[in-house]
Amino acid sequence: MANQSSPYPILCASFNQDNSGFAISTKDGFKIIDSNTGRLCYDRAVGAFIIVEMLYSSSLLAIVGAGEQPSLSPRRLCFFNTTTGAPLREMNFLTSILAVRLNRKRLVVVLQEKTYIYDSNSLSMLDTIDTVPNLKGLCAFSPSLEGCFLALPASTAKGAVLVYNVMELQLHCEIDAHRSPLAAIALSSNGKYIATASEQGTIIRIHLVSEATKSYSFRRGTCSSTIFSLSFAPSLQLPDILVATSSSGSVHIFSLGFETNQRTKKSGSFLGSILPYSVNDALDPAHHHVLHNAVSAGVRSYAVVRKVDNVADSSSSEIASCRAIISLIAYNGYFQEYAFTLNSQNESTWSLEREFNLVAVISGNAETS
């Protein structure tokens, strides 16, 4: 989520693998913030960075400079220890680094026309993937070791995506998702689903990775809009919710049911009980919930689903509603957290729980406004 030419104070923003913390960078440096409390965990003012990636809540960071200083080259990947405040190791590349993803076993470095796979512990190179020109460094990564996949654009002319098994070091499949080139990709944390949006931004499609088959198609809107981010809920079994942000300034939530090969079975979950089984029915706007004007139109934003809970009816054992916590970072410098509630009648409500200035948190803990 880097934006080197951004007119806004936030240059890049990224949540860690379980969304328990996030990193942001400004022209002055970077900081690490606890998602649950808004507490500033680490702050380093040494210049601008375009990539700051965390490894869960450990002291290890993968950082790439914005190039405004010779020591902060965009072609140099630095592994940084926040406990000692010192670099551990550096890796240099021939061209600018556009994206970095990692888990406890694998490190992925995305360049414009090549993507490198490394062992996270030894940093030995395991594979090189030649890609189509990927000017924006578009990629998605599922951190689960059991379903660890990497998704990359497979075409510059249409919305095709290449899915690569990072643990087995082999191509898994190629999916033709859209007629227009891709604008956003997301993999569920367990690697079961992949969500895509094209440059038109009107349709969000979700495929089952294991079979490379389409599971859902959701209409975001009828007018074109740039999709800034896609993120699945952190469910181990099923990503019940997909959240998207767009250049319209809205936050979109799409409700998901069981995967394609389970739709003939009656779902035991709350969301499954109200969702249709057919893919075509999923285009029904009843399964699309929108928070309008969450940020100003045109301002880049990044949202994740941090938590999903089913709420039981006090008078029975049946599930009465679903409650999700949505965290949103706007590149104009604000953090927002919403509670999204969906009841059994498919009625939804949004409630702003927290909001604070990310730039101000550099000098102290976050204050909710």
Side-chain angles (χ1 to χ4, degrees):
M1 300 299 295
N3 191 7
Q4 190 169 357
S5 60
S6 171
Y8 301 108
I10 305 300
L11 298 181
C12 74
S14 64
F15 283 82
N16 65 358
Q17 291 80 358
D18 58 10
N19 296 334
S20 62
F22 63 91
I24 65 166
S25 169
T26 68
K27 62 180 179 61
D28 299 315
F30 64 85
K31 53 190 173 179
I32 309 299
I33 298 172
D34 185 292
S35 298
N36 297 302
T37 64
R39 180 179 63 89
L40 178 65
C41 300
Y42 188 81
D43 184 10
R44 188 168 181 86
V46 291
F49 291 82
I50 54 170
I51 294 174
V52 182
E53 289 288 329
M54 304 171 64
L55 179 61
Y56 292 93
S57 297
S58 72
S59 60
L60 178 67
L61 298 178
I63 56 178
V64 178
E68 296 181 358
Q69 304 173 26
S71 61
L72 300 179
S73 169
R75 299 189 300 274
R76 180 180 299 124
L77 172 60
C78 174
F79 295 95
F80 187 83
N81 188 316
T82 58
T83 301
T84 63
L88 297 172
R89 185 168 172 179
E90 294 182 343
M91 301 172 68
N92 293 291
F93 297 85
L94 295 177
T95 60
S96 294
I97 301 165
L98 302 179
V100 174
R101 299 291 185 268
L102 71 163
N103 63 12
R104 293 188 174 96
K105 293 290 186 180
R106 294 291 185 262
L107 165 70
V108 176
V109 180
V110 179
L111 308 184
Q112 183 171 314
E113 295 185 349
K114 288 184 181 295
T115 294
Y116 297 98
I117 313 296
Y118 297 88
D119 182 286
S120 291
N121 297 296
S122 66
L123 295 185
S124 58
M125 185 187 296
L126 301 175
D127 202 0
T128 301
I129 305 171
D130 292 321
T131 65
V132 299
N134 187 6
L135 302 181
K136 298 179 180 178
L138 195 62
C139 67
F141 183 68
S142 53
S144 170
L145 298 182
E146 290 73 32
C148 190
F149 293 99
L150 170 68
L152 297 162
S155 172
T156 57
K158 62 179 181 178
V161 58
L162 177 152
V163 181
Y164 181 87
N165 189 314
V166 180
M167 297 305 295
E168 297 179 5
L169 302 176
Q170 63 183 20
L171 175 65
H172 176 72
C173 66
E174 184 173 320
I175 298 171
D176 286 331
H178 304 270
R179 295 178 181 177
S180 302
L182 294 172
I185 321 172
L187 281 159
S188 59
S189 59
N190 55 18
K192 287 188 175 182
Y193 286 93
I194 182 170
T196 58
S198 74
E199 291 179 350
Q200 285 192 327
T202 54
I203 300 291
I204 309 294
R205 291 201 168 95
I206 299 173
H207 286 75
L208 186 63
V209 171
S210 62
E211 301 174 11
T213 54
K214 185 171 66 175
S215 297
Y216 300 95
S217 291
F218 293 104
R219 182 173 292 281
R220 181 210 56 82
T222 55
C223 298
S224 296
S225 183
T226 301
I227 303 298
F228 288 141
S229 71
L230 293 170
S231 180
F232 285 102
S235 170
L236 294 178
Q237 299 300 322
L238 176 74
D240 289 323
I241 286 176
L242 175 74
V243 62
T245 62
S246 69
S247 57
S248 68
S250 300
V251 179
H252 305 262
I253 281 186
F254 305 95
S255 305
L256 310 182
F258 276 178
E259 55 209 59
T260 304
N261 61 2
Q262 293 179 323
R263 287 186 186 160
T264 57
K265 303 176 183 178
K266 181 175 177 60
S267 170
S269 70
F270 163 70
L271 286 174
S273 68
I274 64 173
L275 289 180
Y277 293 138
S278 71
V279 173
N280 290 335
D281 287 345
L283 282 165
D284 182 13
H287 308 288
H288 174 204
H289 307 270
V290 187
L291 174 64
H292 296 285
N293 303 316
V295 298
S296 299
V299 174
R300 179 173 290 273
S301 57
Y302 178 26
V304 300
V305 185
R306 287 207 302 112
K307 187 179 181 181
V308 179
D309 291 317
N310 289 326
V311 181
D313 191 328
S314 58
S315 61
S316 68
S317 59
E318 294 183 358
I319 296 171
S321 63
C322 165
R323 187 174 188 269
I325 301 300
I326 313 295
S327 293
L328 182 144
I329 296 173
Y331 278 52
N332 60 359
Y334 286 89
F335 174 91
Q336 298 174 346
E337 187 166 273
Y338 292 91
F340 169 80
T341 303
L342 182 65
N343 66 21
S344 56
Q345 285 74 47
N346 201 35
E347 298 168 335
S348 62
T349 60
W350 298 78
S351 173
L352 179 61
E353 303 290 300
R354 288 190 295 160
E355 182 178 24
F356 57 84
N357 188 313
L358 289 167
V359 178
V361 80
I362 291 178
S363 58
N365 290 343
E367 296 182 359
T368 303
S369 61

